[in-house]
Amino acid sequence: MNKNYMVSLIAVIVLFLIAYVGTQQGAGLQMVFGIVVPYLAVILFVVGFARRVMGWSRSAVPFRITTTCGQQPSLPWFKQAKIDNPSSTFGVIIRMFLEIVCFRSLFRNTRMKLKNGTHMTHQLELFLWIGALAFHYAFFTVVVRHLRFFTEPVPFFVTLLENVDAFMRMEVLYDAVQSGLPGVYMSGLVLLAAAFYLFLRRVLLPQVRYISLASDFFPLFLIMGIALSGIFMRYFAKVDIVAIKELTMGLVTFRPSIPEGVGGLFFAHLFLVSVLLAYFPFSKLMHLGGVFLSPTRNMTGNTRQVRHVNPWNYPVKVHTYEEYEDDFREKMVEAGLPVVKMPEEQA
């Protein structure tokens, strides 16, 4: 059984405890975990992200290596798959849009499975597609919602998203008992559930478990730790939202300070976010930027319309087919081979 997930789980727990214990009264590391670490994490994220993207953009792509999932334009009686094998820039834009927004290639992903011990079958992995959509859209929603801590006044679209996301409330209203929770943000719960599903998939499916490394589990546990600590702070622990916003606004305005009332749980939550940011450019999470620069997705499939030549090929004299036929036309006709021009058609 793959034990790599235990290494990642223990690492995340240790990171959480380091920040939580280090910011308790007497330890005096609030400045480190509240100011120094977040700034360093953002610098690592921005520099690392930019360096990876610039490196990819400078990579030579001399050949058309577009992933083809349909017919390329050729003879008139063949219908072209204009999205799956685009030959125009507009087709590439449509393909990239569907790939980024709808995960179209993942929707069409299949998994091989033996049926009755002898028959190989291909099954759509719809649950993986649904889980991936839920994970990414929930993550995006959570990130946008948290802009309220870094902006003043809060943009209208953030407030609108919060109202839509927190449409469900849990309240008990009786004369004897009146209690409840603030508006339940569905994105946080969906994010946690989707990350847990992706973790279970890596553990329970033998093929996926075999190729899973500790680096595959680490970001999942980081995200689950961030989601769990955030949910706990919102619904169960009492945290000073005003003090937290004062801290975050101080970070973005470059006037950092540690106000009174910010507890160790928030510093641990912030530390996990900082670790995720710093780890991001060096992990598989960089597919966020890589998907836009993937030559298998962002290139046109027009090799039957345009001849693409390797730009650094050594210059050699090319013997074209027309020249070849001019040299051997009579012999080709005698041998019964088809030719473009019959001998009598020559001028």
Side-chain angles (χ1 to χ4, degrees):
M1 184 176 180
N2 193 326
K3 302 295 184 183
N4 289 324
Y5 70 89
M6 289 301 300
V7 177
S8 301
L9 177 60
I10 293 172
V12 172
I13 293 174
V14 170
L15 289 172
F16 180 88
L17 292 177
I18 288 175
Y20 184 78
V21 174
T23 53
Q24 297 301 307
Q25 294 294 333
L29 295 178
Q30 290 88 345
M31 189 73 68
V32 174
F33 291 103
I35 297 176
V36 177
V37 171
Y39 276 141
L40 290 177
V42 172
I43 292 172
L44 277 174
F45 174 78
V46 173
V47 174
F49 196 101
R51 185 178 180 183
R52 291 289 297 275
V53 170
M54 290 174 64
W56 287 330
S57 66
R58 289 194 295 261
S59 298
V61 187
F63 304 112
R64 293 282 155 162
I65 57 174
T66 311
T67 301
T68 58
C69 301
Q71 178 65 41
Q72 189 178 144
S74 57
L75 299 173
W77 53 85
F78 287 119
K79 184 178 180 181
Q80 179 196 359
K82 295 184 178 181
I83 296 178
D84 291 318
N85 200 345
S87 58
S88 64
T89 302
F90 180 73
V92 171
I93 293 173
I94 297 298
R95 183 185 191 182
M96 289 292 294
F97 176 81
L98 293 176
E99 185 68 28
I100 295 168
V101 176
C102 303
F103 302 171
R104 190 166 182 262
S105 63
L106 185 60
F107 173 75
R108 304 172 69 174
N109 185 47
T110 59
R111 178 163 58 97
M112 291 186 296
K113 187 176 182 180
L114 283 176
K115 189 175 182 180
N116 299 327
T118 56
H119 298 287
M120 182 70 71
T121 61
H122 295 265
Q123 299 178 344
L124 288 174
E125 286 202 300
L126 290 180
F127 286 108
L128 174 60
W129 176 69
I130 294 172
L133 276 179
F135 175 83
H136 287 84
Y137 275 102
F139 195 99
F140 176 76
T141 303
V142 169
V143 171
V144 174
R145 277 200 296 104
H146 278 69
L147 291 177
R148 65 191 175 100
F149 291 108
F150 301 93
T151 54
E152 185 60 43
V154 179
F156 77 94
F157 63 88
V158 176
T159 304
L160 177 63
L161 183 63
E162 282 187 323
N163 294 333
V164 174
D165 194 18
F167 70 94
M168 187 176 68
R169 296 181 179 274
M170 296 183 181
E171 296 178 338
V172 179
L173 300 177
Y174 290 102
D175 294 336
V177 178
Q178 293 189 3
S179 64
L181 295 174
V184 178
Y185 286 128
M186 298 302 298
S187 59
L189 300 178
V190 171
L191 176 63
L192 180 61
F196 187 67
Y197 162 74
L198 295 176
F199 161 72
L200 289 180
R201 182 177 176 274
R202 286 194 172 274
V203 173
L204 299 180
L205 292 183
Q207 301 92 331
V208 183
R209 182 173 66 239
Y210 182 77
I211 62 173
S212 295
L213 305 174
S215 59
D216 297 315
F217 293 106
F218 183 65
L220 285 176
F221 284 126
L222 268 179
I223 292 170
M224 284 192 281
I226 292 169
L228 277 172
S229 57
I231 290 171
F232 190 81
M233 283 191 294
R234 176 166 177 81
Y235 304 114
F236 303 104
K238 293 182 178 180
V239 294
D240 191 339
I241 296 296
V242 176
I244 289 174
K245 180 149 187 177
E246 182 180 346
L247 187 153
T248 54
M249 288 299 298
L251 291 175
V252 296
T253 57
F254 298 103
R255 293 192 294 269
S257 63
I258 303 296
E260 295 292 333
V262 181
L265 183 59
F266 173 78
F267 284 114
H269 177 77
L270 181 60
F271 183 57
L272 292 184
V273 174
S274 301
V275 172
L276 182 64
L277 277 177
Y279 180 73
F280 198 102
F282 311 100
S283 68
K284 294 179 180 179
L285 299 175
M286 269 304 296
H287 65 263
L288 171 65
V291 66
F292 296 96
L293 299 174
S294 173
T296 61
R297 292 285 186 270
N298 64 12
M299 301 180 75
T300 55
N302 58 355
T303 52
R304 294 179 182 174
Q305 297 171 302
V306 180
R307 183 182 181 189
H308 301 277
V309 180
N310 189 337
W312 56 79
N313 273 349
Y314 184 79
V316 295
K317 179 175 174 53
V318 179
H319 194 227
T320 65
Y321 176 77
E322 289 78 7
E323 295 171 335
Y324 173 86
E325 188 175 296
D326 289 339
D327 293 339
F328 300 100
R329 180 172 289 105
E330 289 79 7
K331 295 181 180 180
M332 292 173 66
V333 172
E334 291 176 4
L337 298 176
V339 294
V340 175
K341 293 181 180 179
M342 295 300 292
E344 62 270 20
E345 297 179 6
Q346 300 182 63

